């Protein structure tokens, strides 16, 4: 693992967490991170990021201060400002202290009709605002069964990455749709093949594509995290359900080595 590809464990809280529960969860994670920072025996081999709902970003920011746990958004609009009722710009996330934003999650591609072109514009917006975009890609079960998983993900990468973006300005998260929230994961061989393919595609797209971190997401749990993190070209995890329990999230982070 090169310094540029230190692993990242990111928690996507999705639409979960009222104020009290969200603040408690953030406090527990920050507390563990501060303790790990003090004690070399406890120190982590990964970076940590949590992406709470937008409603909690401003309250959680100060809770994480001094802990090394980064905070990010779950989506942004492509425009910097304007008449877009209900939307949040990348600049607004940056203004709240976010360092990252998740973009093109399948729950937005499917539930909100986000095309690759929309995701590409959002990734460009994140870059404009100085945020690192976490670009989510992944095939449906039907696409995998049809033997099209690699081609589907390659097309999503081709359509969703804006020209001119640098390898340090984005992260890719491979999240097979059929693995999200189901307790199922691809085989280690399938994950290795997909991540190698993504790395090859990125390498053709950028000079320095090797520097882009590629996360795996979809039913990452404490009991499978070590095996997932050991797969070649897996540079961390994007964690949904298990990121809602501090102990589970921490166990996953510890599995980075
Ligand atoms: P689960 O970890 O709950 O399967 O969710 C994965 C995910 O969608 C993270 O973005």
């Amino acid at each position: 693992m090169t310094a540029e590809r230190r692993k990242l464990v990111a928690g996507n809280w999705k639409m979960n967490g009222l104020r009290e529960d969200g603040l408690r969860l953030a406090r527990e994670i920050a507390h563990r991170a501060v303790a790990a920072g003090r004690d070399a025996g406890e120190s982590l081999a990964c970076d940590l990021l949590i992406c709470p709902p937008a409603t909690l970003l401003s309250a959680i920011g100060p809770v994480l201060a001094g802990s090394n746990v980064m905070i990010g958004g779950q989506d942004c609009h492509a425009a910097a400002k304007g008449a877009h009722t209900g939307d949040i710009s990348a600049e607004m996330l940056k203004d709240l202290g976010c360092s990252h934003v998740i973009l093109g999650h399948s729950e937005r591609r499917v539930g909100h009709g986000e095309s690759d072109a929309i995701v590409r514009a959002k990734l460009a917006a994140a870059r404009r605002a100085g945020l690192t975009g976490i670009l989510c890609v992944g095939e449906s079960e039907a696409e995998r069964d049809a033997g099209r998983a690699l081609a589907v993900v390659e097309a999503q990468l081709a359509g969703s990455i804006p020209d001119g973006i640098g390898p340090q300005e984005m992260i890719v998260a491979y999240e097979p749709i059929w693995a999200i929230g189901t307790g199922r994961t691809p085989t280690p061989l399938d994950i290795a093949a997909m991540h190698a393919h993504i790395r090859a595609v990125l390498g053709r797209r950028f000079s320095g594509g090797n520097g882009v971190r590629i996360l795996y997401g979809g039913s990452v749990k404490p009991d499978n995290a070590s095996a997932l993190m050991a797969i070649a070209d897996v540079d961390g995890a994007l964690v949904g359900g298990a990121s809602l329990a501090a102990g589970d999230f921490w166990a996953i982070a510890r599995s980075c080595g």
Side-chain angles (χ1 to χ4, degrees), residues 120-185:
R120 184 170 69 239
K122 291 183 174 195
L123 196 45
R127 178 183 186 224
R128 179 188 67 217
L131 297 175
T132 301
I134 301 177
L135 168 62
C136 299
V137 295
E139 80 285 357
S140 67
E141 184 155 33
E143 288 163 342
R144 174 152 293 268
D145 289 347
R148 296 181 48 229
L150 296 179
V152 165
V153 167
E154 182 167 346
Q156 287 174 333
L157 291 170
S160 305
I161 298 177
D163 287 339
I165 196 164
Q168 303 303 328
E169 295 173 323
M170 62 171 287
I171 291 169
V172 172
Y174 168 55
E175 298 206 311
I177 297 172
W178 52 274
I180 295 175
T182 60
R184 298 162 59 206
T185 58

Side-chain angles (χ1 to χ4, degrees), residues 20-111:
E20 193 180 324
D21 289 343
L23 282 172
R24 188 185 317 118
L25 179 54
R27 267 190 216 106
E28 281 178 37
I29 293 167
H31 180 77
R32 286 171 192 254
V34 168
R38 272 199 309 262
D39 177 354
E42 286 289 309
S43 72
L44 287 179
C46 65
D47 296 330
L48 288 181
L49 168 71
I50 58 173
C51 299
T55 48
L56 294 181
L57 289 172
S58 61
I60 287 180
V63 170
L64 301 181
S67 74
N68 283 337
V69 181
M70 299 177 286
I71 190 166
Q74 297 178 10
D75 179 42
C76 70
H77 195 278
K81 61 179 181 170
H84 303 287
T85 303
D87 281 311
I88 297 172
S89 71
E91 281 76 2
M92 290 169 175
L93 294 175
K94 180 77 178 176
D95 192 40
L96 287 179
C98 290
S99 53
H100 293 71
V101 58
I102 298 169
L103 295 170
H105 193 283
S106 59
E107 287 152 16
R108 296 209 58 87
R109 289 180 186 265
V110 175

